[in-house]
Amino acid sequence: MTEVRIVAAGIHPFGRTPGLTGLQQGVFAVRQALATAGLDWRDIQFAYGGSDAAGNADTMVSELGLTGLQFINVANGCATGGSALFGAYSTIKSGEFDLGIAVGFDKHPRGAFDPKPAEWGLPDWYGETGLMLTTQFFAMKTRRYMAEHGITVETLGRVAEKAFANGVLTPHAWRREAVNLDAILNAPLVSDPFTKFMFCSPGEGAVALILASEKRARSLGLDGAKLRAAAVRSRPPGSFEVFSPALDIARGVSPSTLASRAAFEMAGVGPEDIDVAQLQDTESGAEIMHMAENGFCADGDQEAWIADGRTRIDGALPVNTDGGCLACGEPIGASGLRQVYENVVQLRGQAGARQVPGDPRLGYSHVYGAPGVSGVAIVER
């Protein structure tokens, strides 16, 4: 099978950019990636792109050029970016094309996401109880997990503290000011047990990744990170995910676990081989749960891992080295691709003050979206 490489990457800083539309931020990221690779838009054979609130991604051809390329719009909740990457990876892996792009952008209004029950196949009562407000759902899910596995509120705070500390070191992050643990724990409560510093915010930003077959990369004189695996999975029976109307007595694994297992098998590596990981952290409890769901530790071990600093930049397994969603915010279309961008930068040794020590070789990214879709990618230097 054809090997796939990420030969260039571009990013528009995350946060709030009043002067640009989401689509224009996407165009910025694409042009940056093209310039990095020394390519022209006319060289690109296909694209997969996603946006949740800023229009169809394919409309960017009006600014980039009307070349007639195959352009597929992707919409898969917060897993949109990871799903766009899977599409691009699979297209090259199959041999259909050998040079393409995965792009994601968004521009969300201020305030929490406002999904409607009917749009997700749910009855009105689900929204009337407040469960469509995802802050409340994830708070309850995390409270259950804390009770079952001995996770403390202080550990939730330490996850957020790490995120903001990493954001200080990250030029593309939105939140670039450190927040100490006491301030995090004593901030206004949003949904018990989460204070305002433990949730990410909808925002703006864009990422573009140019992918090529290994043969095409060599012919262009480009060297990039090898995309060893890309997998997307939906929820199985018994999993309890956002917008689930009930909790089954017989619990099933999560879609994150399914995607993780598939990606590790595809790449021929295991959790112990990963040098740096980006895990979905729409709130600090998510990072904790996803550490176990992706196979990096057992349920409950996160308490000791985080207290010992094992997930910090200089720890045994650095997690969310650019500050993750907590520091960068979450523009839905771009978020999953930001994770892969960060891993590519880390593997190239170009992360500056947030660079993971020890010459990292394997990077892992995991994104999770409603109503229970997860995407995992593994990249290798």
Side-chain angles (χ1 to χ4, degrees):
M1 295 289 286
T2 302
E3 295 293 341
V4 182
R5 290 189 177 271
I6 300 173
V7 297
I11 191 167
H12 184 282
F14 283 34
R16 294 288 178 196
T17 309
L20 292 178
T21 66
L23 185 143
Q24 288 170 332
Q25 293 176 53
V27 169
F28 177 97
V30 170
R31 287 176 173 159
Q32 186 182 88
L34 290 170
T36 299
L39 294 169
D40 187 270
W41 176 244
R42 289 170 294 185
D43 298 319
I44 302 300
Q45 300 166 336
F46 71 90
Y48 285 81
S51 160
D52 179 73
N56 288 341
D58 72 297
T59 58
M60 65 171 51
V61 301
S62 62
E63 295 201 31
L64 292 167
L66 304 177
T67 64
L69 85 168
Q70 173 181 288
F71 202 125
I72 309 298
N73 287 314
V74 180
N76 222 1
C78 296
T80 291
S83 301
L85 181 68
F86 173 78
Y89 167 82
S90 300
T91 298
I92 293 177
K93 195 82 173 172
S94 71
E96 183 70 21
F97 294 114
D98 60 12
L99 184 65
I101 197 162
V103 59
F105 59 86
D106 247 313
K107 190 179 183 77
H108 298 291
R110 296 179 185 275
F113 292 122
D114 185 28
K116 303 297 188 293
E119 295 173 359
W120 298 89
L122 293 168
D124 288 342
W125 66 258
Y126 194 80
E128 291 164 359
T129 62
L131 289 172
M132 289 300 290
L133 185 62
T134 51
T135 55
Q136 184 167 322
F137 172 87
F138 286 120
M140 291 194 301
K141 185 174 182 178
T142 295
R143 262 297 177 201
R144 179 185 177 92
Y145 191 86
M146 292 168 69
E148 289 179 337
H149 302 293
I151 304 298
T152 62
V153 173
E154 182 172 325
T155 296
L156 298 178
R158 290 190 186 281
V159 170
E161 182 184 41
K162 171 180 66 70
F164 295 123
N166 292 354
V168 171
L169 309 176
T170 305
H172 64 254
W174 182 7
R175 313 295 189 190
R176 302 199 60 201
E177 183 177 342
V179 185
N180 66 46
L181 182 60
D182 284 344
I184 291 168
L185 295 177
N186 292 300
L189 197 67
V190 177
S191 291
D192 185 26
F194 296 128
T195 69
K196 71 173 187 177
F197 289 116
M198 297 178 188
F199 280 111
C200 78
S201 299
E204 304 175 24
V207 177
L209 304 175
I210 298 178
L211 283 68
S213 68
E214 191 160 25
K215 181 179 178 180
R216 183 66 183 276
R218 284 198 306 268
S219 72
L220 293 169
L222 298 173
D223 182 28
K226 183 183 294 185
L227 187 52
R228 291 280 298 271
V232 177
R233 295 291 187 271
S234 58
R235 61 194 188 278
S239 67
F240 186 52
E241 312 303 331
V242 60
F243 305 156
S244 296
L247 179 63
D248 289 358
I249 294 174
R251 295 299 302 275
V253 299
S254 74
S256 297
T257 299
L258 295 180
S260 178
R261 290 172 181 172
F264 280 128
E265 182 178 357
M266 192 182 302
V269 299
E272 68 281 359
D273 299 310
I274 300 301
D275 299 303
V276 56
Q278 317 301 326
L279 304 178
Q280 181 83 348
D281 63 329
T282 41
E283 76 291 333
S284 53
E287 179 174 320
I288 290 169
M289 290 186 285
H290 291 147
M291 286 170 62
E293 289 181 356
N294 286 271
F296 293 109
C297 67
D299 291 312
D301 285 355
Q302 303 98 321
E303 186 77 8
W305 270 56
I306 292 166
D308 294 342
R310 295 187 65 180
T311 59
R312 293 187 177 273
I313 287 174
D314 59 353
L317 180 68
V319 174
N320 292 330
T321 47
D322 67 351
C325 291
L326 291 174
C328 294
E330 190 185 25
I332 283 178
S335 193
L337 295 176
R338 171 192 55 77
Q339 297 175 322
V340 181
Y341 172 91
E342 174 65 11
N343 280 339
V344 168
V345 170
Q346 289 286 348
L347 299 188
R348 289 176 175 170
Q350 298 173 344
R354 69 184 189 281
Q355 178 64 50
V356 170
D359 199 21
R361 184 180 68 89
L362 284 171
Y364 182 99
S365 63
H366 156 267
V367 64
Y368 170 90
V373 179
S374 291
V376 169
I378 298 175
V379 291
E380 180 181 26
R381 174 171 45 81

